Amino acid sequence: MLVENWMNRNVVTVDAEDSMLDAMKLLKEKNIRRLPVLRKGKLVGIITDRDLKKASPSEATTLEAHELLYLTAKITVKEIMTPNPVTVPFNYTVEEAAAILLDRKISGLPVVDKDGTVVGTITQTDIFRVLISVTGFGKEAIQFAFSLEDRPGSIKEVADIIRKYKGRMASILSSFEGAPEGFRTVYIRAYDLDRERLADLKKELKGAAKLLYVIDHKENKREIFVG
């Protein structure tokens, strides 16, 4: 999953010499939260809605409306932008981009090509879209969570049982985070299951592995198994 396949290609930018007022208008018109800042086509900074709020006069100011307008029109973007912004290459994976966002505690990144030219942006919202897509959410499926031994074939064993009940796999994900040593947590989302036979399926799965929970998104039913 490469960044270039999930990024927003409709990049709205602002010039370093543009006014703070210009940036404010762009953010409002385009309903976005950040603007890459360019100088002669090259990325030199980034400005966010937070930067603009910090630079704006306090609500307690005694300035008149026309004075506020004049002030925001005189302040340039380069005076309040964050220079040398963090970027992500277009050929990074989405996971790498997500790790950068998390590590830097930011919500979006400019995406650059091999020459450093801005070709897109990727944000937390885009990451959420990826998560929904790869997990198969939205297919009115049933998700099963297991604690499985970390050995060859352990996932296939429970997946084959689900397939025996005509289940079609929307996604199979696994994680070692929080799992006991020698085990991993596996999440299988399947659809086309006959809910009339769901009780039998759960019984068979419990006999083959440790079933942690079952969530039926179509029926909005949730079963959490303890122990």
Side-chain angles (χ1 to χ4, degrees):
M1 298 180 294
L2 297 179
V3 167
E4 66 175 331
N5 300 130
W6 293 93
M7 69 184 186
N8 179 7
R9 296 176 183 272
N10 299 318
V11 190
V12 181
T13 63
V14 67
D15 191 270
E17 301 300 329
D18 286 346
S19 71
M20 176 179 167
L21 182 60
D22 292 328
M24 293 171 70
K25 287 180 178 178
L26 269 177
L27 288 178
K28 185 175 182 180
E29 288 172 6
K30 303 297 183 179
N31 192 29
I32 52 180
R33 297 173 57 187
R34 66 194 55 78
L35 291 165
V37 182
L38 307 183
R39 180 181 289 121
K40 297 181 180 179
K42 294 295 183 181
L43 180 68
V44 294
I46 194 163
I47 190 166
T48 67
D49 53 355
R50 182 178 297 179
D51 297 324
L52 293 169
K53 288 173 183 176
K54 285 170 62 178
S56 298
S58 165
E59 292 182 359
T61 181
T62 58
L63 294 175
E64 298 291 338
H66 69 280
E67 293 174 311
L68 288 172
L69 189 62
Y70 175 79
L71 182 61
T72 55
K74 292 295 288 183
I75 298 173
T76 59
V77 167
K78 66 182 179 184
E79 295 177 70
I80 55 177
M81 72 180 187
T82 299
N84 304 314
V86 180
T87 62
V88 62
F90 72 101
N91 57 1
Y92 265 37
T93 65
V94 172
E95 301 97 302
E96 289 175 300
I100 294 172
L101 291 175
L102 184 62
D103 181 61
R104 298 299 186 109
K105 294 181 173 61
I106 52 180
S107 58
L109 290 165
V111 181
V112 295
D113 64 13
K114 61 183 187 322
D115 298 317
T117 301
V118 178
V119 293
T121 59
I122 190 160
T123 68
Q124 290 176 334
T125 300
D126 299 315
I127 304 297
F128 295 152
R129 286 195 300 114
V130 174
L131 177 63
I132 290 171
S133 176
V134 300
T135 59
F137 185 78
K139 292 182 179 293
E140 296 187 335
I142 298 176
Q143 187 183 65
F144 304 87
F146 304 90
S147 178
L148 299 181
E149 288 183 71
D150 181 27
R151 59 174 174 79
S154 63
I155 295 177
K156 183 178 184 301
E157 290 167 7
V158 293
D160 283 347
I161 294 172
I162 295 171
R163 290 190 184 96
K164 189 173 78 172
Y165 283 78
K166 310 302 182 183
R168 297 178 62 193
M169 304 299 166
S171 64
I172 301 177
L173 303 172
S174 70
S175 173
F176 292 102
E177 188 75 24
E181 186 174 353
F183 288 78
R184 58 178 163 174
T185 306
V186 175
Y187 309 89
I188 298 179
R189 182 173 273 113
Y191 56 102
D192 285 354
L193 284 164
D194 182 357
R195 283 165 171 81
E196 295 292 328
R197 303 182 64 202
L198 189 55
D200 292 334
L201 170 57
K202 286 185 290 187
K203 183 178 180 180
E204 192 164 343
L205 288 173
K206 285 180 179 179
K210 184 176 181 180
L211 186 59
L212 301 177
Y213 67 73
V214 177
I215 296 179
D216 186 339
H217 295 288
K218 181 179 180 180
E219 303 294 334
N220 194 25
K221 293 181 179 178
R222 302 163 189 271
E223 292 182 83
I224 312 297
F225 305 109
V226 180

